PDB file of all heavy atoms in Angstrom:
ATOM      1  N   LYS A  23     -12.566   4.767 -11.058  1.00 98.00           N
ATOM      2  CA  LYS A  23     -12.819   5.092 -12.461  1.00 98.00           C
ATOM      3  C   LYS A  23     -13.606   4.165 -13.223  1.00 98.00           C
ATOM      4  O   LYS A  23     -14.006   4.455 -14.335  1.00 98.00           O
ATOM      5  CB  LYS A  23     -11.294   5.074 -13.169  1.00 98.00           C
ATOM      6  CG  LYS A  23     -10.343   6.048 -12.564  1.00 98.00           C
ATOM      7  CD  LYS A  23     -10.652   7.462 -12.950  1.00 98.00           C
ATOM      8  CE  LYS A  23      -9.663   8.496 -12.396  1.00 98.00           C
ATOM      9  NZ  LYS A  23     -10.013   9.855 -12.764  1.00 98.00           N
ATOM     10  N   GLY A  24     -13.986   3.021 -12.535  1.00 98.00           N
ATOM     11  CA  GLY A  24     -14.907   2.167 -13.231  1.00 98.00           C
ATOM     12  C   GLY A  24     -14.193   1.362 -14.309  1.00 98.00           C
ATOM     13  O   GLY A  24     -14.838   0.885 -15.328  1.00 98.00           O
ATOM     14  N   LEU A  25     -12.964   1.192 -14.139  1.00 98.00           N
ATOM     15  CA  LEU A  25     -12.116   0.544 -15.178  1.00 98.00           C
ATOM     16  C   LEU A  25     -11.907  -0.998 -14.940  1.00 98.00           C
ATOM     17  O   LEU A  25     -11.458  -1.424 -13.817  1.00 98.00           O
ATOM     18  CB  LEU A  25     -10.731   1.118 -15.250  1.00 98.00           C
ATOM     19  CG  LEU A  25     -10.741   2.717 -15.646  1.00 98.00           C
ATOM     20  CD1 LEU A  25      -9.224   3.208 -15.459  1.00 98.00           C
ATOM     21  CD2 LEU A  25     -11.197   2.719 -17.181  1.00 98.00           C
ATOM     22  N   ALA A  26     -12.183  -1.741 -15.929  1.00 96.00           N
ATOM     23  CA  ALA A  26     -11.812  -3.208 -15.898  1.00 96.00           C
ATOM     24  C   ALA A  26     -10.448  -3.485 -16.139  1.00 96.00           C
ATOM     25  O   ALA A  26      -9.752  -2.781 -16.776  1.00 96.00           O
ATOM     26  CB  ALA A  26     -12.900  -3.957 -16.801  1.00 96.00           C
ATOM     27  N   PHE A  27      -9.936  -4.569 -15.616  1.00 97.00           N
ATOM     28  CA  PHE A  27      -8.562  -4.939 -15.777  1.00 97.00           C
ATOM     29  C   PHE A  27      -8.367  -6.491 -15.711  1.00 97.00           C
ATOM     30  O   PHE A  27      -9.129  -7.208 -15.060  1.00 97.00           O
ATOM     31  CB  PHE A  27      -7.678  -4.271 -14.857  1.00 97.00           C
ATOM     32  CG  PHE A  27      -7.807  -4.647 -13.378  1.00 97.00           C
ATOM     33  CD1 PHE A  27      -7.146  -5.714 -12.834  1.00 97.00           C
ATOM     34  CD2 PHE A  27      -8.684  -3.876 -12.633  1.00 97.00           C
ATOM     35  CE1 PHE A  27      -7.317  -5.917 -11.448  1.00 97.00           C
ATOM     36  CE2 PHE A  27      -8.922  -4.196 -11.207  1.00 97.00           C
ATOM     37  CZ  PHE A  27      -8.254  -5.310 -10.598  1.00 97.00           C
ATOM     38  N   GLU A  28      -7.446  -7.047 -16.373  1.00 97.00           N
ATOM     39  CA  GLU A  28      -7.066  -8.418 -16.243  1.00 97.00           C
ATOM     40  C   GLU A  28      -6.100  -8.540 -14.897  1.00 97.00           C
ATOM     41  O   GLU A  28      -5.139  -7.793 -14.843  1.00 97.00           O
ATOM     42  CB  GLU A  28      -6.239  -8.887 -17.498  1.00 97.00           C
ATOM     43  CG  GLU A  28      -5.958 -10.393 -17.337  1.00 97.00           C
ATOM     44  CD  GLU A  28      -5.170 -10.938 -18.624  1.00 97.00           C
ATOM     45  OE1 GLU A  28      -5.106 -10.127 -19.671  1.00 97.00           O
ATOM     46  OE2 GLU A  28      -4.511 -11.946 -18.528  1.00 97.00           O
ATOM     47  N   SER A  29      -6.424  -9.397 -14.059  1.00 97.00           N
ATOM     48  CA  SER A  29      -5.809  -9.573 -12.814  1.00 97.00           C
ATOM     49  C   SER A  29      -4.701 -10.553 -12.871  1.00 97.00           C
ATOM     50  O   SER A  29      -5.036 -11.787 -13.272  1.00 97.00           O
ATOM     51  CB  SER A  29      -6.768  -9.840 -11.656  1.00 97.00           C
ATOM     52  OG  SER A  29      -6.157 -10.259 -10.488  1.00 97.00           O
ATOM     53  N   ARG A  30      -3.487 -10.328 -12.498  1.00 96.00           N
ATOM     54  CA  ARG A  30      -2.466 -11.272 -12.431  1.00 96.00           C
ATOM     55  C   ARG A  30      -1.912 -11.237 -11.077  1.00 96.00           C
ATOM     56  O   ARG A  30      -1.236 -10.225 -10.613  1.00 96.00           O
ATOM     57  CB  ARG A  30      -1.285 -10.954 -13.412  1.00 96.00           C
ATOM     58  CG  ARG A  30      -1.742 -10.908 -14.929  1.00 96.00           C
ATOM     59  CD  ARG A  30      -1.855 -12.226 -15.510  1.00 96.00           C
ATOM     60  NE  ARG A  30      -2.090 -12.238 -16.891  1.00 96.00           N
ATOM     61  CZ  ARG A  30      -1.269 -12.135 -17.899  1.00 96.00           C
ATOM     62  NH1 ARG A  30       0.098 -11.886 -17.610  1.00 96.00           N
ATOM     63  NH2 ARG A  30      -1.629 -12.060 -19.178  1.00 96.00           N
ATOM     64  N   ILE A  31      -2.193 -12.231 -10.268  1.00 95.00           N
ATOM     65  CA  ILE A  31      -1.731 -12.255  -8.892  1.00 95.00           C
ATOM     66  C   ILE A  31      -0.316 -12.727  -8.745  1.00 95.00           C
ATOM     67  O   ILE A  31       0.118 -13.716  -9.391  1.00 95.00           O
ATOM     68  CB  ILE A  31      -2.532 -13.202  -8.077  1.00 95.00           C
ATOM     69  CG1 ILE A  31      -4.135 -12.763  -8.074  1.00 95.00           C
ATOM     70  CG2 ILE A  31      -2.020 -13.407  -6.590  1.00 95.00           C
ATOM     71  CD1 ILE A  31      -4.337 -11.415  -7.486  1.00 95.00           C
ATOM     72  N   ILE A  32       0.485 -11.944  -8.121  1.00 94.00           N
ATOM     73  CA  ILE A  32       1.919 -12.311  -7.819  1.00 94.00           C
ATOM     74  C   ILE A  32       2.000 -12.826  -6.256  1.00 94.00           C
ATOM     75  O   ILE A  32       1.593 -12.231  -5.310  1.00 94.00           O
ATOM     76  CB  ILE A  32       2.815 -10.997  -7.905  1.00 94.00           C
ATOM     77  CG1 ILE A  32       2.861 -10.526  -9.413  1.00 94.00           C
ATOM     78  CG2 ILE A  32       4.246 -11.266  -7.449  1.00 94.00           C
ATOM     79  CD1 ILE A  32       3.460 -11.426 -10.351  1.00 94.00           C
TER      80      ILE A  32
END
Side-chain angles (χ1 to χ4, degrees):
K23 298 290 183 181
L25 295 171
F27 62 92
E28 181 179 347
S29 174
R30 301 278 183 89
I31 300 299
I32 294 294

